[in-house]
PDB file of all heavy atoms in Angstrom:
ATOM      1  N   PHE A   1     -48.697  22.283 -50.486  1.00  0.00           N
ATOM      2  CA  PHE A   1     -48.457  23.704 -50.848  1.00  0.00           C
ATOM      3  C   PHE A   1     -47.215  23.804 -51.722  1.00  0.00           C
ATOM      4  O   PHE A   1     -46.134  23.310 -51.418  1.00  0.00           O
ATOM      5  CB  PHE A   1     -48.237  24.524 -49.572  1.00  0.00           C
ATOM      6  CG  PHE A   1     -47.918  25.974 -49.824  1.00  0.00           C
ATOM      7  CD1 PHE A   1     -48.927  26.834 -50.248  1.00  0.00           C
ATOM      8  CD2 PHE A   1     -46.631  26.468 -49.719  1.00  0.00           C
ATOM      9  CE1 PHE A   1     -48.648  28.168 -50.542  1.00  0.00           C
ATOM     10  CE2 PHE A   1     -46.334  27.778 -50.007  1.00  0.00           C
ATOM     11  CZ  PHE A   1     -47.368  28.630 -50.391  1.00  0.00           C
ATOM     12  N   HIS A   2     -47.387  24.402 -52.887  1.00  0.00           N
ATOM     13  CA  HIS A   2     -46.333  24.562 -53.902  1.00  0.00           C
ATOM     14  C   HIS A   2     -45.685  23.212 -54.218  1.00  0.00           C
ATOM     15  O   HIS A   2     -44.470  23.149 -54.469  1.00  0.00           O
ATOM     16  CB  HIS A   2     -45.269  25.538 -53.381  1.00  0.00           C
ATOM     17  CG  HIS A   2     -45.674  27.015 -53.597  1.00  0.00           C
ATOM     18  ND1 HIS A   2     -44.845  28.049 -53.421  1.00  0.00           N
ATOM     19  CD2 HIS A   2     -46.862  27.551 -53.978  1.00  0.00           C
ATOM     20  CE1 HIS A   2     -45.447  29.173 -53.654  1.00  0.00           C
ATOM     21  NE2 HIS A   2     -46.704  28.917 -53.973  1.00  0.00           N
ATOM     22  N   LEU A   3     -46.508  22.156 -54.257  1.00  0.00           N
ATOM     23  CA  LEU A   3     -45.972  20.875 -54.676  1.00  0.00           C
ATOM     24  C   LEU A   3     -45.353  20.956 -56.077  1.00  0.00           C
ATOM     25  O   LEU A   3     -44.350  20.354 -56.413  1.00  0.00           O
ATOM     26  CB  LEU A   3     -47.076  19.828 -54.631  1.00  0.00           C
ATOM     27  CG  LEU A   3     -46.688  18.362 -54.667  1.00  0.00           C
ATOM     28  CD1 LEU A   3     -45.744  18.002 -53.547  1.00  0.00           C
ATOM     29  CD2 LEU A   3     -47.894  17.461 -54.633  1.00  0.00           C
ATOM     30  N   MET A   4     -46.051  21.717 -56.924  1.00  0.00           N
ATOM     31  CA  MET A   4     -45.473  22.054 -58.227  1.00  0.00           C
ATOM     32  C   MET A   4     -44.750  23.393 -58.097  1.00  0.00           C
ATOM     33  O   MET A   4     -45.246  24.467 -58.397  1.00  0.00           O
ATOM     34  CB  MET A   4     -46.574  22.144 -59.312  1.00  0.00           C
ATOM     35  CG  MET A   4     -47.161  20.797 -59.642  1.00  0.00           C
ATOM     36  SD  MET A   4     -45.958  19.589 -60.303  1.00  0.00           S
ATOM     37  CE  MET A   4     -45.522  20.416 -61.850  1.00  0.00           C
ATOM     38  N   ASN A   5     -43.491  23.263 -57.584  1.00  0.00           N
ATOM     39  CA  ASN A   5     -42.672  24.473 -57.300  1.00  0.00           C
ATOM     40  C   ASN A   5     -41.852  24.761 -58.548  1.00  0.00           C
ATOM     41  O   ASN A   5     -41.957  24.125 -59.580  1.00  0.00           O
ATOM     42  CB  ASN A   5     -41.835  24.263 -56.085  1.00  0.00           C
ATOM     43  CG  ASN A   5     -41.001  22.968 -56.177  1.00  0.00           C
ATOM     44  OD1 ASN A   5     -40.682  22.516 -57.250  1.00  0.00           O
ATOM     45  ND2 ASN A   5     -40.619  22.422 -55.018  1.00  0.00           N
ATOM     46  N   ALA A   6     -40.979  25.802 -58.457  1.00  0.00           N
ATOM     47  CA  ALA A   6     -40.155  26.213 -59.583  1.00  0.00           C
ATOM     48  C   ALA A   6     -39.289  25.041 -60.123  1.00  0.00           C
ATOM     49  O   ALA A   6     -39.171  24.882 -61.332  1.00  0.00           O
ATOM     50  CB  ALA A   6     -39.293  27.392 -59.183  1.00  0.00           C
ATOM     51  N   ARG A   7     -38.729  24.295 -59.211  1.00  0.00           N
ATOM     52  CA  ARG A   7     -37.832  23.203 -59.659  1.00  0.00           C
ATOM     53  C   ARG A   7     -38.634  22.174 -60.419  1.00  0.00           C
ATOM     54  O   ARG A   7     -38.205  21.698 -61.488  1.00  0.00           O
ATOM     55  CB  ARG A   7     -37.190  22.540 -58.440  1.00  0.00           C
ATOM     56  CG  ARG A   7     -36.221  21.428 -58.777  1.00  0.00           C
ATOM     57  CD  ARG A   7     -35.697  20.750 -57.531  1.00  0.00           C
ATOM     58  NE  ARG A   7     -36.775  20.099 -56.776  1.00  0.00           N
ATOM     59  CZ  ARG A   7     -37.280  18.892 -57.118  1.00  0.00           C
ATOM     60  NH1 ARG A   7     -36.842  18.251 -58.191  1.00  0.00           N
ATOM     61  NH2 ARG A   7     -38.223  18.345 -56.397  1.00  0.00           N
ATOM     62  N   ARG A   8     -39.805  21.782 -59.928  1.00  0.00           N
ATOM     63  CA  ARG A   8     -40.609  20.744 -60.642  1.00  0.00           C
ATOM     64  C   ARG A   8     -41.152  21.271 -61.942  1.00  0.00           C
ATOM     65  O   ARG A   8     -41.287  20.570 -62.935  1.00  0.00           O
ATOM     66  CB  ARG A   8     -41.728  20.260 -59.738  1.00  0.00           C
ATOM     67  CG  ARG A   8     -41.274  19.272 -58.636  1.00  0.00           C
ATOM     68  CD  ARG A   8     -42.310  18.352 -58.195  1.00  0.00           C
ATOM     69  NE  ARG A   8     -41.808  17.353 -57.250  1.00  0.00           N
ATOM     70  CZ  ARG A   8     -41.908  17.508 -55.936  1.00  0.00           C
ATOM     71  NH1 ARG A   8     -42.565  18.548 -55.400  1.00  0.00           N
ATOM     72  NH2 ARG A   8     -41.376  16.610 -55.128  1.00  0.00           N
ATOM     73  N   LEU A   9     -41.572  22.528 -61.979  1.00  0.00           N
ATOM     74  CA  LEU A   9     -42.097  23.067 -63.213  1.00  0.00           C
ATOM     75  C   LEU A   9     -41.011  23.076 -64.274  1.00  0.00           C
ATOM     76  O   LEU A   9     -41.313  22.859 -65.467  1.00  0.00           O
ATOM     77  CB  LEU A   9     -42.603  24.506 -62.974  1.00  0.00           C
ATOM     78  CG  LEU A   9     -43.877  24.616 -62.133  1.00  0.00           C
ATOM     79  CD1 LEU A   9     -44.133  26.047 -61.698  1.00  0.00           C
ATOM     80  CD2 LEU A   9     -45.091  24.078 -62.911  1.00  0.00           C
ATOM     81  N   LYS A  10     -39.775  23.241 -63.936  1.00  0.00           N
ATOM     82  CA  LYS A  10     -38.701  23.226 -64.878  1.00  0.00           C
ATOM     83  C   LYS A  10     -38.429  21.811 -65.431  1.00  0.00           C
ATOM     84  O   LYS A  10     -37.787  21.648 -66.477  1.00  0.00           O
ATOM     85  CB  LYS A  10     -37.404  23.794 -64.285  1.00  0.00           C
ATOM     86  CG  LYS A  10     -37.360  25.316 -64.222  1.00  0.00           C
ATOM     87  CD  LYS A  10     -36.049  25.791 -63.719  1.00  0.00           C
ATOM     88  CE  LYS A  10     -35.950  27.328 -63.780  1.00  0.00           C
ATOM     89  NZ  LYS A  10     -35.985  27.789 -65.179  1.00  0.00           N
ATOM     90  N   LEU A  11     -38.940  20.816 -64.707  1.00  0.00           N
ATOM     91  CA  LEU A  11     -38.789  19.424 -65.179  1.00  0.00           C
ATOM     92  C   LEU A  11     -39.739  19.109 -66.320  1.00  0.00           C
ATOM     93  O   LEU A  11     -39.495  18.181 -67.064  1.00  0.00           O
ATOM     94  CB  LEU A  11     -39.034  18.442 -64.028  1.00  0.00           C
ATOM     95  CG  LEU A  11     -38.057  18.449 -62.860  1.00  0.00           C
ATOM     96  CD1 LEU A  11     -38.577  17.459 -61.800  1.00  0.00           C
ATOM     97  CD2 LEU A  11     -36.667  18.035 -63.337  1.00  0.00           C
ATOM     98  N   MET A  12     -40.806  19.893 -66.459  1.00  0.00           N
ATOM     99  CA  MET A  12     -41.794  19.639 -67.498  1.00  0.00           C
ATOM    100  C   MET A  12     -41.196  19.813 -68.894  1.00  0.00           C
ATOM    101  O   MET A  12     -40.298  20.671 -69.124  1.00  0.00           O
ATOM    102  CB  MET A  12     -43.016  20.565 -67.358  1.00  0.00           C
ATOM    103  CG  MET A  12     -43.865  20.303 -66.122  1.00  0.00           C
ATOM    104  SD  MET A  12     -45.218  21.514 -65.945  1.00  0.00           S
ATOM    105  CE  MET A  12     -46.179  21.179 -67.430  1.00  0.00           C
ATOM    106  N   LYS A  13     -41.669  18.985 -69.857  1.00  0.00           N
ATOM    107  CA  LYS A  13     -41.257  19.118 -71.230  1.00  0.00           C
ATOM    108  C   LYS A  13     -41.715  20.457 -71.788  1.00  0.00           C
ATOM    109  O   LYS A  13     -42.813  20.928 -71.449  1.00  0.00           O
ATOM    110  CB  LYS A  13     -41.831  17.989 -72.041  1.00  0.00           C
ATOM    111  CG  LYS A  13     -41.349  16.629 -71.577  1.00  0.00           C
ATOM    112  CD  LYS A  13     -41.686  15.526 -72.590  1.00  0.00           C
ATOM    113  CE  LYS A  13     -43.124  15.329 -72.835  1.00  0.00           C
ATOM    114  NZ  LYS A  13     -43.417  14.185 -73.752  1.00  0.00           N
ATOM    115  N   PRO A  14     -40.936  21.086 -72.687  1.00  0.00           N
ATOM    116  CA  PRO A  14     -41.359  22.381 -73.218  1.00  0.00           C
ATOM    117  C   PRO A  14     -42.696  22.333 -73.925  1.00  0.00           C
ATOM    118  O   PRO A  14     -43.393  23.359 -74.031  1.00  0.00           O
ATOM    119  CB  PRO A  14     -40.218  22.701 -74.209  1.00  0.00           C
ATOM    120  CG  PRO A  14     -39.053  21.915 -73.699  1.00  0.00           C
ATOM    121  CD  PRO A  14     -39.612  20.660 -73.119  1.00  0.00           C
ATOM    122  N   GLY A  15     -43.081  21.182 -74.443  1.00  0.00           N
ATOM    123  CA  GLY A  15     -44.355  21.062 -75.164  1.00  0.00           C
ATOM    124  C   GLY A  15     -45.502  20.656 -74.251  1.00  0.00           C
ATOM    125  O   GLY A  15     -46.629  20.463 -74.729  1.00  0.00           O
ATOM    126  N   ALA A  16     -45.230  20.555 -72.931  1.00  0.00           N
ATOM    127  CA  ALA A  16     -46.291  20.083 -72.025  1.00  0.00           C
ATOM    128  C   ALA A  16     -47.198  21.205 -71.533  1.00  0.00           C
ATOM    129  O   ALA A  16     -46.783  22.386 -71.548  1.00  0.00           O
ATOM    130  CB  ALA A  16     -45.660  19.381 -70.856  1.00  0.00           C
ATOM    131  N   VAL A  17     -48.393  20.853 -71.129  1.00  0.00           N
ATOM    132  CA  VAL A  17     -49.335  21.812 -70.519  1.00  0.00           C
ATOM    133  C   VAL A  17     -49.730  21.315 -69.134  1.00  0.00           C
ATOM    134  O   VAL A  17     -49.634  20.143 -68.845  1.00  0.00           O
ATOM    135  CB  VAL A  17     -50.576  22.030 -71.421  1.00  0.00           C
ATOM    136  CG1 VAL A  17     -50.189  22.455 -72.801  1.00  0.00           C
ATOM    137  CG2 VAL A  17     -51.424  20.767 -71.488  1.00  0.00           C
ATOM    138  N   ILE A  18     -50.167  22.283 -68.320  1.00  0.00           N
ATOM    139  CA  ILE A  18     -50.586  21.961 -66.968  1.00  0.00           C
ATOM    140  C   ILE A  18     -51.986  22.454 -66.714  1.00  0.00           C
ATOM    141  O   ILE A  18     -52.349  23.565 -67.162  1.00  0.00           O
ATOM    142  CB  ILE A  18     -49.594  22.552 -65.934  1.00  0.00           C
ATOM    143  CG1 ILE A  18     -49.923  22.038 -64.499  1.00  0.00           C
ATOM    144  CG2 ILE A  18     -49.537  24.082 -65.975  1.00  0.00           C
ATOM    145  CD1 ILE A  18     -48.796  22.290 -63.534  1.00  0.00           C
ATOM    146  N   ILE A  19     -52.802  21.625 -66.065  1.00  0.00           N
ATOM    147  CA  ILE A  19     -54.208  21.950 -65.812  1.00  0.00           C
ATOM    148  C   ILE A  19     -54.452  21.898 -64.300  1.00  0.00           C
ATOM    149  O   ILE A  19     -54.015  20.942 -63.627  1.00  0.00           O
ATOM    150  CB  ILE A  19     -55.151  20.915 -66.495  1.00  0.00           C
ATOM    151  CG1 ILE A  19     -54.822  20.781 -67.982  1.00  0.00           C
ATOM    152  CG2 ILE A  19     -56.619  21.240 -66.244  1.00  0.00           C
ATOM    153  CD1 ILE A  19     -55.018  22.050 -68.795  1.00  0.00           C
ATOM    154  N   ASN A  20     -55.133  22.890 -63.744  1.00  0.00           N
ATOM    155  CA  ASN A  20     -55.446  22.905 -62.343  1.00  0.00           C
ATOM    156  C   ASN A  20     -56.881  23.228 -62.076  1.00  0.00           C
ATOM    157  O   ASN A  20     -57.336  24.321 -62.338  1.00  0.00           O
ATOM    158  CB  ASN A  20     -54.523  23.890 -61.582  1.00  0.00           C
ATOM    159  CG  ASN A  20     -54.620  23.712 -60.081  1.00  0.00           C
ATOM    160  OD1 ASN A  20     -55.298  22.849 -59.552  1.00  0.00           O
ATOM    161  ND2 ASN A  20     -53.921  24.577 -59.348  1.00  0.00           N
ATOM    162  N   THR A  21     -57.657  22.258 -61.559  1.00  0.00           N
ATOM    163  CA  THR A  21     -59.027  22.454 -61.158  1.00  0.00           C
ATOM    164  C   THR A  21     -59.179  22.132 -59.693  1.00  0.00           C
ATOM    165  O   THR A  21     -60.323  21.927 -59.208  1.00  0.00           O
ATOM    166  CB  THR A  21     -59.971  21.549 -61.979  1.00  0.00           C
ATOM    167  OG1 THR A  21     -59.548  20.169 -61.878  1.00  0.00           O
ATOM    168  CG2 THR A  21     -59.998  21.926 -63.444  1.00  0.00           C
ATOM    169  N   SER A  22     -58.071  22.076 -58.943  1.00  0.00           N
ATOM    170  CA  SER A  22     -58.109  21.693 -57.557  1.00  0.00           C
ATOM    171  C   SER A  22     -57.981  22.891 -56.621  1.00  0.00           C
ATOM    172  O   SER A  22     -59.004  23.470 -56.268  1.00  0.00           O
ATOM    173  CB  SER A  22     -57.002  20.667 -57.269  1.00  0.00           C
ATOM    174  OG  SER A  22     -56.966  20.291 -55.913  1.00  0.00           O
ATOM    175  N   ARG A  23     -56.758  23.254 -56.275  1.00  0.00           N
ATOM    176  CA  ARG A  23     -56.503  24.396 -55.429  1.00  0.00           C
ATOM    177  C   ARG A  23     -55.295  25.140 -55.983  1.00  0.00           C
ATOM    178  O   ARG A  23     -54.268  24.539 -56.339  1.00  0.00           O
ATOM    179  CB  ARG A  23     -56.206  23.993 -53.973  1.00  0.00           C
ATOM    180  CG  ARG A  23     -57.448  23.519 -53.219  1.00  0.00           C
ATOM    181  CD  ARG A  23     -58.406  24.679 -52.995  1.00  0.00           C
ATOM    182  NE  ARG A  23     -59.561  24.298 -52.181  1.00  0.00           N
ATOM    183  CZ  ARG A  23     -60.711  23.884 -52.645  1.00  0.00           C
ATOM    184  NH1 ARG A  23     -60.913  23.780 -53.973  1.00  0.00           N
ATOM    185  NH2 ARG A  23     -61.730  23.566 -51.824  1.00  0.00           N
ATOM    186  N   GLY A  24     -55.397  26.469 -56.043  1.00  0.00           N
ATOM    187  CA  GLY A  24     -54.351  27.252 -56.655  1.00  0.00           C
ATOM    188  C   GLY A  24     -53.021  27.189 -55.895  1.00  0.00           C
ATOM    189  O   GLY A  24     -51.933  27.326 -56.489  1.00  0.00           O
ATOM    190  N   GLU A  25     -53.069  26.929 -54.594  1.00  0.00           N
ATOM    191  CA  GLU A  25     -51.849  26.930 -53.756  1.00  0.00           C
ATOM    192  C   GLU A  25     -50.934  25.761 -54.067  1.00  0.00           C
ATOM    193  O   GLU A  25     -49.769  25.782 -53.671  1.00  0.00           O
ATOM    194  CB  GLU A  25     -52.208  26.900 -52.243  1.00  0.00           C
ATOM    195  CG  GLU A  25     -52.990  28.107 -51.781  1.00  0.00           C
ATOM    196  CD  GLU A  25     -54.505  27.981 -51.857  1.00  0.00           C
ATOM    197  OE1 GLU A  25     -54.948  27.097 -52.671  1.00  0.00           O
ATOM    198  OE2 GLU A  25     -55.192  28.720 -51.211  1.00  0.00           O
ATOM    199  N   VAL A  26     -51.390  24.781 -54.813  1.00  0.00           N
ATOM    200  CA  VAL A  26     -50.570  23.651 -55.137  1.00  0.00           C
ATOM    201  C   VAL A  26     -49.467  23.995 -56.119  1.00  0.00           C
ATOM    202  O   VAL A  26     -48.427  23.408 -56.177  1.00  0.00           O
ATOM    203  CB  VAL A  26     -51.428  22.463 -55.700  1.00  0.00           C
ATOM    204  CG1 VAL A  26     -50.573  21.252 -56.070  1.00  0.00           C
ATOM    205  CG2 VAL A  26     -52.479  22.027 -54.638  1.00  0.00           C
ATOM    206  N   ILE A  27     -49.704  25.052 -56.931  1.00  0.00           N
ATOM    207  CA  ILE A  27     -48.715  25.515 -57.910  1.00  0.00           C
ATOM    208  C   ILE A  27     -48.115  26.857 -57.471  1.00  0.00           C
ATOM    209  O   ILE A  27     -48.822  27.725 -57.022  1.00  0.00           O
ATOM    210  CB  ILE A  27     -49.381  25.702 -59.312  1.00  0.00           C
ATOM    211  CG1 ILE A  27     -50.014  24.411 -59.780  1.00  0.00           C
ATOM    212  CG2 ILE A  27     -48.338  26.206 -60.324  1.00  0.00           C
ATOM    213  CD1 ILE A  27     -50.715  24.559 -61.136  1.00  0.00           C
ATOM    214  N   ASP A  28     -46.789  26.962 -57.585  1.00  0.00           N
ATOM    215  CA  ASP A  28     -46.148  28.255 -57.410  1.00  0.00           C
ATOM    216  C   ASP A  28     -46.505  29.096 -58.620  1.00  0.00           C
ATOM    217  O   ASP A  28     -45.892  28.936 -59.698  1.00  0.00           O
ATOM    218  CB  ASP A  28     -44.624  28.031 -57.272  1.00  0.00           C
ATOM    219  CG  ASP A  28     -43.881  29.341 -57.033  1.00  0.00           C
ATOM    220  OD1 ASP A  28     -44.385  30.418 -57.363  1.00  0.00           O
ATOM    221  OD2 ASP A  28     -42.737  29.261 -56.529  1.00  0.00           O
ATOM    222  N   GLU A  29     -47.429  29.972 -58.438  1.00  0.00           N
ATOM    223  CA  GLU A  29     -48.014  30.766 -59.538  1.00  0.00           C
ATOM    224  C   GLU A  29     -46.968  31.649 -60.229  1.00  0.00           C
ATOM    225  O   GLU A  29     -46.975  31.802 -61.433  1.00  0.00           O
ATOM    226  CB  GLU A  29     -49.226  31.548 -59.094  1.00  0.00           C
ATOM    227  CG  GLU A  29     -50.157  31.939 -60.175  1.00  0.00           C
ATOM    228  CD  GLU A  29     -51.485  32.401 -59.618  1.00  0.00           C
ATOM    229  OE1 GLU A  29     -52.345  31.545 -59.291  1.00  0.00           O
ATOM    230  OE2 GLU A  29     -51.628  33.655 -59.484  1.00  0.00           O
ATOM    231  N   ASN A  30     -46.113  32.262 -59.421  1.00  0.00           N
ATOM    232  CA  ASN A  30     -45.091  33.130 -60.024  1.00  0.00           C
ATOM    233  C   ASN A  30     -44.106  32.333 -60.862  1.00  0.00           C
ATOM    234  O   ASN A  30     -43.733  32.758 -61.978  1.00  0.00           O
ATOM    235  CB  ASN A  30     -44.327  33.867 -58.919  1.00  0.00           C
ATOM    236  CG  ASN A  30     -45.140  34.982 -58.286  1.00  0.00           C
ATOM    237  OD1 ASN A  30     -45.963  35.606 -58.950  1.00  0.00           O
ATOM    238  ND2 ASN A  30     -44.918  35.240 -57.033  1.00  0.00           N
ATOM    239  N   ALA A  31     -43.717  31.147 -60.380  1.00  0.00           N
ATOM    240  CA  ALA A  31     -42.796  30.318 -61.153  1.00  0.00           C
ATOM    241  C   ALA A  31     -43.498  29.811 -62.409  1.00  0.00           C
ATOM    242  O   ALA A  31     -42.856  29.743 -63.491  1.00  0.00           O
ATOM    243  CB  ALA A  31     -42.348  29.142 -60.309  1.00  0.00           C
ATOM    244  N   LEU A  32     -44.776  29.479 -62.332  1.00  0.00           N
ATOM    245  CA  LEU A  32     -45.517  29.020 -63.496  1.00  0.00           C
ATOM    246  C   LEU A  32     -45.557  30.146 -64.534  1.00  0.00           C
ATOM    247  O   LEU A  32     -45.344  29.921 -65.748  1.00  0.00           O
ATOM    248  CB  LEU A  32     -46.946  28.628 -63.103  1.00  0.00           C
ATOM    249  CG  LEU A  32     -47.871  28.300 -64.251  1.00  0.00           C
ATOM    250  CD1 LEU A  32     -47.367  27.061 -65.006  1.00  0.00           C
ATOM    251  CD2 LEU A  32     -49.289  28.065 -63.747  1.00  0.00           C
ATOM    252  N   THR A  33     -45.836  31.352 -64.089  1.00  0.00           N
ATOM    253  CA  THR A  33     -45.882  32.478 -65.029  1.00  0.00           C
ATOM    254  C   THR A  33     -44.561  32.667 -65.731  1.00  0.00           C
ATOM    255  O   THR A  33     -44.524  32.907 -66.947  1.00  0.00           O
ATOM    256  CB  THR A  33     -46.296  33.763 -64.259  1.00  0.00           C
ATOM    257  OG1 THR A  33     -47.531  33.547 -63.592  1.00  0.00           O
ATOM    258  CG2 THR A  33     -46.455  34.952 -65.205  1.00  0.00           C
ATOM    259  N   ARG A  34     -43.464  32.592 -64.947  1.00  0.00           N
ATOM    260  CA  ARG A  34     -42.128  32.751 -65.599  1.00  0.00           C
ATOM    261  C   ARG A  34     -41.897  31.662 -66.640  1.00  0.00           C
ATOM    262  O   ARG A  34     -41.399  31.926 -67.724  1.00  0.00           O
ATOM    263  CB  ARG A  34     -41.070  32.712 -64.517  1.00  0.00           C
ATOM    264  CG  ARG A  34     -41.038  33.925 -63.587  1.00  0.00           C
ATOM    265  CD  ARG A  34     -39.763  33.999 -62.809  1.00  0.00           C
ATOM    266  NE  ARG A  34     -39.564  32.833 -61.890  1.00  0.00           N
ATOM    267  CZ  ARG A  34     -39.994  32.750 -60.654  1.00  0.00           C
ATOM    268  NH1 ARG A  34     -40.676  33.789 -60.111  1.00  0.00           N
ATOM    269  NH2 ARG A  34     -39.777  31.653 -59.938  1.00  0.00           N
ATOM    270  N   GLY A  35     -42.265  30.437 -66.312  1.00  0.00           N
ATOM    271  CA  GLY A  35     -42.083  29.315 -67.232  1.00  0.00           C
ATOM    272  C   GLY A  35     -42.877  29.479 -68.478  1.00  0.00           C
ATOM    273  O   GLY A  35     -42.388  29.181 -69.617  1.00  0.00           O
ATOM    274  N   LEU A  36     -44.100  29.935 -68.375  1.00  0.00           N
ATOM    275  CA  LEU A  36     -44.982  30.146 -69.555  1.00  0.00           C
ATOM    276  C   LEU A  36     -44.440  31.266 -70.444  1.00  0.00           C
ATOM    277  O   LEU A  36     -44.411  31.154 -71.667  1.00  0.00           O
ATOM    278  CB  LEU A  36     -46.397  30.462 -69.077  1.00  0.00           C
ATOM    279  CG  LEU A  36     -47.179  29.287 -68.460  1.00  0.00           C
ATOM    280  CD1 LEU A  36     -48.369  29.818 -67.680  1.00  0.00           C
ATOM    281  CD2 LEU A  36     -47.643  28.317 -69.560  1.00  0.00           C
ATOM    282  N   ARG A  37     -44.006  32.354 -69.775  1.00  0.00           N
ATOM    283  CA  ARG A  37     -43.467  33.507 -70.559  1.00  0.00           C
ATOM    284  C   ARG A  37     -42.166  33.167 -71.271  1.00  0.00           C
ATOM    285  O   ARG A  37     -41.931  33.642 -72.387  1.00  0.00           O
ATOM    286  CB  ARG A  37     -43.256  34.700 -69.609  1.00  0.00           C
ATOM    287  CG  ARG A  37     -44.527  35.356 -69.080  1.00  0.00           C
ATOM    288  CD  ARG A  37     -44.231  36.263 -67.935  1.00  0.00           C
ATOM    289  NE  ARG A  37     -43.436  37.439 -68.353  1.00  0.00           N
ATOM    290  CZ  ARG A  37     -43.924  38.569 -68.763  1.00  0.00           C
ATOM    291  NH1 ARG A  37     -45.205  38.771 -68.797  1.00  0.00           N
ATOM    292  NH2 ARG A  37     -43.126  39.582 -69.072  1.00  0.00           N
ATOM    293  N   ALA A  38     -41.406  32.250 -70.641  1.00  0.00           N
ATOM    294  CA  ALA A  38     -40.115  31.900 -71.256  1.00  0.00           C
ATOM    295  C   ALA A  38     -40.257  30.774 -72.273  1.00  0.00           C
ATOM    296  O   ALA A  38     -39.247  30.417 -72.926  1.00  0.00           O
ATOM    297  CB  ALA A  38     -39.152  31.459 -70.165  1.00  0.00           C
ATOM    298  N   GLY A  39     -41.420  30.231 -72.458  1.00  0.00           N
ATOM    299  CA  GLY A  39     -41.641  29.147 -73.415  1.00  0.00           C
ATOM    300  C   GLY A  39     -41.154  27.797 -72.894  1.00  0.00           C
ATOM    301  O   GLY A  39     -41.054  26.828 -73.651  1.00  0.00           O
ATOM    302  N   GLU A  40     -40.891  27.711 -71.583  1.00  0.00           N
ATOM    303  CA  GLU A  40     -40.473  26.450 -70.959  1.00  0.00           C
ATOM    304  C   GLU A  40     -41.647  25.500 -70.738  1.00  0.00           C
ATOM    305  O   GLU A  40     -41.451  24.315 -70.536  1.00  0.00           O
ATOM    306  CB  GLU A  40     -39.750  26.739 -69.622  1.00  0.00           C
ATOM    307  CG  GLU A  40     -38.486  27.557 -69.788  1.00  0.00           C
ATOM    308  CD  GLU A  40     -37.927  28.049 -68.469  1.00  0.00           C
ATOM    309  OE1 GLU A  40     -38.616  27.922 -67.458  1.00  0.00           O
ATOM    310  OE2 GLU A  40     -36.781  28.581 -68.467  1.00  0.00           O
ATOM    311  N   ILE A  41     -42.838  26.071 -70.723  1.00  0.00           N
ATOM    312  CA  ILE A  41     -44.080  25.291 -70.556  1.00  0.00           C
ATOM    313  C   ILE A  41     -45.018  25.778 -71.691  1.00  0.00           C
ATOM    314  O   ILE A  41     -45.159  27.000 -71.922  1.00  0.00           O
ATOM    315  CB  ILE A  41     -44.734  25.549 -69.177  1.00  0.00           C
ATOM    316  CG1 ILE A  41     -43.778  25.104 -68.082  1.00  0.00           C
ATOM    317  CG2 ILE A  41     -46.064  24.755 -69.074  1.00  0.00           C
ATOM    318  CD1 ILE A  41     -44.230  25.559 -66.690  1.00  0.00           C
ATOM    319  N   ALA A  42     -45.653  24.839 -72.392  1.00  0.00           N
ATOM    320  CA  ALA A  42     -46.407  25.249 -73.599  1.00  0.00           C
ATOM    321  C   ALA A  42     -47.701  25.933 -73.281  1.00  0.00           C
ATOM    322  O   ALA A  42     -48.156  26.772 -74.040  1.00  0.00           O
ATOM    323  CB  ALA A  42     -46.671  23.984 -74.451  1.00  0.00           C
ATOM    324  N   GLY A  43     -48.344  25.594 -72.172  1.00  0.00           N
ATOM    325  CA  GLY A  43     -49.611  26.249 -71.877  1.00  0.00           C
ATOM    326  C   GLY A  43     -50.151  25.800 -70.524  1.00  0.00           C
ATOM    327  O   GLY A  43     -49.653  24.900 -69.886  1.00  0.00           O
ATOM    328  N   ALA A  44     -51.226  26.499 -70.086  1.00  0.00           N
ATOM    329  CA  ALA A  44     -51.828  26.206 -68.786  1.00  0.00           C
ATOM    330  C   ALA A  44     -53.337  26.461 -68.864  1.00  0.00           C
ATOM    331  O   ALA A  44     -53.754  27.441 -69.528  1.00  0.00           O
ATOM    332  CB  ALA A  44     -51.163  26.979 -67.683  1.00  0.00           C
ATOM    333  N   GLY A  45     -54.069  25.650 -68.184  1.00  0.00           N
ATOM    334  CA  GLY A  45     -55.505  25.874 -68.004  1.00  0.00           C
ATOM    335  C   GLY A  45     -55.804  25.896 -66.546  1.00  0.00           C
ATOM    336  O   GLY A  45     -55.692  24.909 -65.853  1.00  0.00           O
TER     337      GLY A  45
END
């Protein structure tokens, strides 16, 4: 649960993208949204 939390998402390179076809609970969705909006993560599928 939230294995990809806010701290780990911030570790990603700014040009990196994240893909999730497993379970939504593995990613902190609010933190992901903030990272995408701030340009800290390049994209998500």
Side-chain angles (χ1 to χ4, degrees):
F1 178 75
H2 281 190
L3 194 58
M4 289 300 295
N5 54 26
R7 182 185 64 79
R8 283 206 177 98
L9 289 167
K10 282 186 174 294
L11 294 176
M12 291 177 62
K13 298 193 297 184
V17 302
I18 189 166
I19 307 298
N20 191 3
T21 55
S22 179
R23 287 291 185 267
E25 296 91 341
V26 178
I27 302 178
D28 182 338
E29 201 166 277
N30 286 328
L32 174 64
T33 303
R34 290 194 298 270
L36 289 162
R37 288 168 65 94
E40 298 169 349
I41 301 170

